[in-house]
Amino acid sequence: MSTLSLSTIRQNLAKFDYTGLGIPVLVLLIMAMLVLPLPPLLLDFLFTFNIVASLVIIMIAINTRKPLDFSSFPTVLLFATMLRLALNVASTRIILVEGHTGHEAAGKVVAAFGEFVIAQLCGWFHHFCYFDDHQLHCGDQRCGPGV
């Protein structure tokens, strides 16, 4: 029976081919996002990355002349959709668990997007909207979170 030493393990790992592990590791990381809680700073980074990646994907798709020029589009779209769904689950979890701590509990990107959407909705239904102590006021009525 041979004993395992650090040099033996290192030599055996050097023989292993790691080139095919990129996509499975990416899928495992996305699946881990569904289960593990993520800090708000990481959520901000991942939301920003997802928005930029989506813009890059759509620009490539628009500028593609022949379908075979972007033949990996279904795979790229699948991974982008998986990332977006994992981000939705992660942000919903942190909002439900930490939402009582303030409107930036899930990160600044989620808070900014929420304030923008609420301001736009109130702007459509009322003529005058303003923020006061993180509450959105539209005319004489309050609307938004905490109403």
Side-chain angles (χ1 to χ4, degrees):
M1 179 184 241
S2 66
T3 60
L4 290 176
S5 66
L6 188 59
S7 63
T8 309
I9 294 172
R10 192 177 309 141
Q11 288 173 357
N12 288 337
L13 287 177
K15 297 175 187 174
F16 191 72
D17 184 25
Y18 293 104
T19 57
L21 292 180
I23 292 177
V25 167
L26 180 66
V27 170
L28 288 175
L29 286 174
I30 290 174
M31 296 302 284
M33 287 174 55
L34 295 171
V35 180
L36 300 175
L38 298 177
L41 186 64
L42 183 60
L43 270 178
D44 284 343
F45 173 76
L46 290 173
F47 272 120
T48 306
F49 172 77
N50 188 23
I51 291 168
V52 170
S54 299
L55 289 174
V56 168
I57 291 169
I58 199 163
M59 289 299 170
I60 291 173
I62 288 172
N63 290 324
T64 301
R65 300 284 181 220
K66 296 181 285 183
L68 289 179
D69 290 344
F70 194 22
S71 62
S72 61
F73 179 69
T75 305
V76 171
L77 190 64
L78 174 69
F79 284 118
T81 304
M82 285 175 50
L83 176 62
R84 184 67 199 156
L85 287 172
L87 284 172
N88 283 338
V89 169
S91 63
T92 302
R93 179 189 313 108
I94 200 166
I95 288 170
L96 291 174
V97 173
E98 301 290 333
H100 66 281
T101 62
H103 73 287
E104 289 185 359
K108 295 183 185 291
V109 174
V110 173
F113 186 74
E115 289 176 3
F116 174 76
V117 168
I118 290 172
Q120 292 300 317
L121 287 175
C122 287
W124 289 333
F125 296 114
H126 304 285
H127 299 292
F128 181 70
C129 294
Y130 63 94
F131 279 99
D132 182 25
D133 294 327
H134 303 294
Q135 294 291 324
L136 186 62
H137 300 274
C138 299
D140 292 333
Q141 299 176 350
R142 285 178 65 188
C143 62
V147 177

